[in-house]
Amino acid sequence: LSPEVLDFIKDFNNRTKLDIPFDNSDFTHSLIRLKQNLKFLNDKGLTKTFMDGVNLIEDNKECFKEFCASHGDLTAWNSFIVDGNLFAFDLEYFKKSNPLLWDFFHFFTQDLLYNGYADSDKIYCEYLNVKNTLPEVRHLDYLYIAYLLVIVDFYLNRDKGILNERLGSCFAIWSELIKRLMNNVKEIY
């Protein structure tokens, strides 16, 4: 993540912040749909982890007081930098009210998965390094869990649980990340 990417995301979040009730957000609609679509998963362990993540978020709604627009698929392959300015394109997954830093987590995680061929251990270690660079952001672990749940919802809704080998691997990685982040939350909060 270059400084230009992080600056773009922070500016985009600040310009599109919404102070809306949790239940009115696109994020909450994703959680509701995820709970319905978990029936498509044949793996009880994954289902339990994702449901535990949803329950954790719903039990801690107070961590989600602000929402903002998200590009929905901000990645290195959907953006470019010219003269220090980031330009993003391919907005087909745009959402009006996702949690703060959603695009940050997407860019970060997708880059490590698809360009770095990272497993959950590598992604988690990189997250801990990045986490230290964002001390001003409260509830970062909750925000990352929120991102992971939305991305799981996206693929479950799109593919109705029919996961190819690569996506099955991603689901396992996302599940492991959620478990680790939930452990962080229990220790810190």
Side-chain angles (χ1 to χ4, degrees), residues 1-186:
L1 281 168
S2 70
E4 292 90 353
V5 172
L6 192 53
D7 289 346
F8 174 88
I9 292 168
K10 285 180 176 181
D11 183 55
F12 188 56
N13 283 196
N14 286 331
R15 289 176 185 260
T16 63
K17 264 187 198 169
L18 296 170
D19 185 12
I20 61 172
F22 180 88
D23 292 338
N24 293 350
S25 68
D26 289 324
F27 172 55
T28 297
H29 298 295
S30 289
L31 293 181
I32 291 167
R33 190 175 57 211
L34 174 59
K35 288 191 288 190
Q36 294 166 348
N37 287 336
L38 282 173
K39 66 181 178 251
F40 295 123
L41 277 179
N42 293 325
D43 186 314
K44 291 187 188 308
L46 290 176
T47 301
K48 180 181 179 340
T49 299
F50 298 143
M51 197 60 223
D52 288 347
V54 170
N55 290 335
L56 177 78
I57 296 299
E58 289 177 340
D59 290 344
N60 293 279
K61 290 179 186 181
E62 70 277 0
C63 295
F64 298 90
K65 293 185 180 189
E66 294 178 318
F67 296 91
C68 62
S70 64
H71 175 284
D73 195 18
L74 186 64
T75 57
W77 47 94
N78 284 337
S79 62
F80 59 93
I81 297 172
V82 175
D83 295 330
N85 296 306
L86 184 128
F87 296 88
F89 54 92
D90 193 11
L91 293 157
E92 65 188 280
Y93 301 119
F94 173 86
K95 293 290 182 193
K96 185 174 148 185
S97 53
N98 266 335
L100 299 175
L101 295 177
W102 197 95
D103 287 323
F104 166 80
F105 290 116
H106 188 71
F107 196 105
F108 167 78
T109 306
Q110 295 297 87
D111 185 57
L112 285 168
L113 278 173
Y114 291 101
N115 292 335
Y117 303 99
D119 61 10
S120 60
D121 291 334
K122 173 75 171 158
I123 294 171
Y124 184 72
C125 286
E126 290 294 326
Y127 167 70
L128 292 178
N129 290 334
V130 168
K131 186 177 178 178
N132 293 328
T133 67
L134 298 168
E136 75 280 5
V137 180
R138 297 190 60 209
H139 310 297
L140 202 62
D141 295 327
Y142 284 109
L143 293 173
Y144 198 9
I145 293 169
Y147 160 75
L148 292 165
L149 292 171
V150 171
I151 203 71
V152 167
D153 165 60
F154 171 81
Y155 285 107
L156 266 183
N157 190 58
R158 186 188 78 178
D159 300 339
K160 303 301 183 223
I162 301 170
L163 308 178
N164 62 30
E165 185 178 330
R166 179 66 179 144
L167 199 50
S169 172
C170 288
F171 268 57
I173 289 169
W174 297 331
S175 173
E176 286 303 312
L177 289 169
I178 288 171
K179 287 179 192 174
R180 287 179 169 196
L181 293 163
M182 286 192 306
N183 284 336
N184 283 359
V185 166
K186 290 174 187 169

